[in-house]
Amino acid sequence: MSQENNTKEIICVVGARPNFMKIAPLMAAIKKSQIINATLVHTGQHYDEAMKKSFFDQLGIPEPDVDLEVGSGSHAVQTAEIMKRFEPILDQKTPDAVLVVGDVNSTIACGLVAVKKNIPLIHVEAGLRSGDRNMPEEINRILTDQISDLLYLTEKEAKENLAKEGIAEEKIYFAGNVMIDTLKMNLPNAVSAKEIFRDNGGGRLFSGEDGSYGVMTLHRPSNVDSKEVLESLLETLTQISKELPLVFPVHPRTAARIGSYGLSDFFEQPGILKLPPAGYLQMLGLMKGAKVVLTDSGGIQEETTSLGIPCITLRDSTERPITVTEGTNTIVGSDKRKIIHTFNDVMETGGRAGNIPEFWDGKAAERIVAHIEEWFQRR
Ligand code: UD1
């Protein structure tokens, strides 16, 4: 609710790892605002130290004002639990808007609660579409955009996706990529691969010299929740690791699946270095010095484009097409032949140099906050 001094209150929501690097520059930009005051709510979707605390510390995100501590569950249980616990916070704080980022379950859950209470919803990283409705995130993206009052784009072309879904143009604003704000700000503090390998028993194959290793990450349900797909991917990556050692920070979901499918031999391969989930500054350092990154993450496709490092995406589609048309990304799916072919190409040619997309310049959060201020003043 508007205060007497006319300050506008926004509740900013984070829930899962990829949200943290998006909220950090927004919280910093709001802190400088004369008009807006922010409260930070963490849903607790990600709760492990390695999936949460190190990001808050490294990115300088203020301690959440509220932690809903929902934890893990099926999609329905997790989404419902977030909604139940978020509603009383809105009743208590009566904000002027709720701001959500990205495409995780926390994004749609809190968005839905806000709009049902007639509280305007702001979505940062709107308009991205993979075209694959089997991805839980795709459903979250479509629904969050439908109910949002202000939609901030990371790439201009995303506007067409929203137009097709009937979203009014005046709600949409191309602001650039807040995750790249975080990357640019933190690059000078990235932890070097040499240090990470030394601290994690890297051995002879993992010297940490630039270009002497690759990075792999896997966590999408489509890759890790099927034994057949996961086994085939690990076989392919084993083959690659004989040519280029691969460092593998392992998501908890993936660690659990590798164990339960009896595939833990993968970690015994000499060219594979297993790490716990990496902190932000560690991941940045690993990517920065890599020859290539093999991943099924969304954010890493953008970060490698910004860093100019070749990215091989182990998915059939991307919601971030600019990383392919302008950046360093190649989409290959889980097919062994295609992965090896693209990997060989990177080894021979060094991969595509790529360009930095428009407004991936470190100033996206400033543009967004300035635009929200204007929007409040117009209302
Ligand atoms: C979520 C997001 C995904 C994002 C990913 C990044 C959704 C639908 N998916 O997927 O878009 O790319 O985060 O990591 O929101 N777990 C832990 N500790 C934690 C969190 C999770 O051990 O701190 C384990 C639990 O066994 C849990 C599983 O990981 O069941 C999956 O967690 P969940 O939050 O459901 O989805 P992610 O796969 O992490």
Side-chain angles (χ1 to χ4, degrees):
M1 195 66 65
S2 304
Q3 313 290 297
E4 259 147 45
N5 63 9
N6 227 11
T7 304
K8 301 293 182 184
E9 296 291 330
I10 294 189
I11 289 192
C12 295
V13 175
V14 287
R17 186 170 60 177
N19 291 163
F20 304 142
M21 28 297 211
K22 294 169 195 165
I23 215 71
L26 290 163
M27 292 301 288
I30 292 174
K31 201 168 171 206
K32 290 192 207 145
S33 169
Q34 307 288 323
I35 298 169
I36 306 173
N37 189 43
T39 297
L40 184 62
V41 173
H42 180 40
T43 64
Q45 178 176 346
H46 283 174
Y47 45 87
D48 277 0
E49 287 283 296
M51 301 293 284
K52 182 195 144 190
K53 177 132 189 352
S54 71
F55 290 87
F56 274 74
D57 293 348
Q58 293 186 346
L59 300 176
I61 305 171
E63 270 298 301
D65 300 278
V66 180
D67 190 338
L68 303 178
E69 296 180 348
V70 295
S72 302
S74 69
H75 284 265
V77 166
Q78 190 176 57
T79 308
E81 204 52 53
I82 296 169
M83 291 179 71
K84 267 166 65 184
R85 296 186 193 195
F86 189 54
E87 183 168 46
I89 308 298
L90 294 188
D91 290 338
Q92 186 198 335
K93 300 210 180 274
T94 61
D96 295 290
V98 167
L99 183 150
V100 294
V101 296
D103 55 15
V104 302
N105 287 344
S106 302
T107 309
I108 180 62
C110 294
L112 205 46
V113 178
V115 296
K116 290 282 182 93
K117 290 185 167 294
N118 287 325
I119 299 169
L121 181 64
I122 303 171
H123 185 205
V124 174
E125 199 190 80
L128 297 180
R129 298 288 181 271
S130 66
D132 176 3
R133 289 199 180 198
N134 288 319
M135 282 179 81
E137 295 81 4
E138 184 76 349
I139 306 297
N140 295 342
R141 292 181 197 117
I142 295 170
L143 298 181
T144 306
D145 286 343
Q146 274 298 328
I147 58 176
S148 290
D149 295 276
L150 275 179
L151 299 92
Y152 291 104
L153 309 184
T154 52
E155 48 185 274
K156 224 190 239 160
E157 294 72 12
K159 204 173 192 170
E160 288 162 31
N161 298 330
L162 297 175
K164 274 189 223 148
E165 292 169 14
I167 293 169
E169 200 176 338
E170 60 268 20
K171 293 183 183 173
I172 306 169
Y173 183 74
F174 170 46
N177 196 328
V178 286
M179 214 174 51
I180 304 303
D181 293 4
T182 296
L183 183 144
K184 285 186 166 287
M185 173 141 174
N186 288 285
L187 203 51
N189 301 324
V191 180
S192 75
K194 276 188 190 156
E195 190 179 328
I196 297 168
F197 294 161
R198 198 189 53 222
D199 292 351
N200 287 278
R204 189 181 52 80
L205 285 177
F206 290 89
S207 67
E209 291 299 330
D210 279 0
S212 67
Y213 65 93
V215 178
M216 61 171 281
T217 81
L218 282 177
H219 75 280
R220 294 263 150 228
S222 57
N223 281 335
V224 307
D225 287 358
S226 145
K227 182 179 180 193
E228 203 189 332
V229 176
L230 184 58
E231 192 166 20
S232 159
L233 276 171
L234 296 184
E235 267 169 33
T236 309
L237 291 156
T238 300
Q239 191 176 321
I240 287 176
S241 74
K242 291 180 179 148
E243 237 177 285
L244 184 73
L246 296 176
V247 56
F248 182 19
V250 191
H251 185 287
R253 169 200 282 277
T254 311
R257 296 297 182 272
I258 290 178
S260 65
Y261 296 152
L263 301 173
S264 302
D265 276 2
F266 180 69
F267 296 128
E268 306 308 320
Q269 304 299 319
I272 299 293
L273 179 62
K274 178 189 178 192
L275 298 184
Y280 184 75
L281 298 177
Q282 284 78 8
M283 196 61 200
L284 209 50
L286 289 176
M287 288 192 286
K288 191 175 139 198
K291 175 88 178 163
V292 62
V293 176
L294 299 116
T295 189
D296 59 8
S297 152
I300 289 176
Q301 296 173 47
E302 295 185 338
E303 289 165 339
T304 45
T305 277
S306 175
L307 292 166
I309 302 293
C311 181
I312 299 178
T313 295
L314 308 171
R315 287 171 41 187
D316 293 323
S317 59
T318 182
E319 63 285 345
R320 301 163 206 268
I322 204 161
T323 60
V324 177
T325 54
E326 289 196 30
T328 58
N329 191 16
T330 310
I331 307 294
V332 296
S334 55
D335 179 73
K336 183 173 189 176
R337 221 175 30 86
K338 278 196 206 154
I339 300 170
I340 299 283
H341 176 81
T342 310
F343 171 75
N344 287 340
D345 184 61
V346 169
M347 293 302 278
E348 278 160 31
T349 67
R352 278 180 299 132
N355 293 317
I356 304 297
E358 189 180 358
F359 282 176
W360 289 24
D361 59 356
K363 300 194 174 102
E366 278 173 33
R367 280 190 285 270
I368 290 171
V369 172
H371 188 263
I372 297 174
E373 288 178 344
E374 271 173 40
W375 178 79
F376 272 130
Q377 280 162 346
R378 278 203 310 268
R379 283 163 70 82

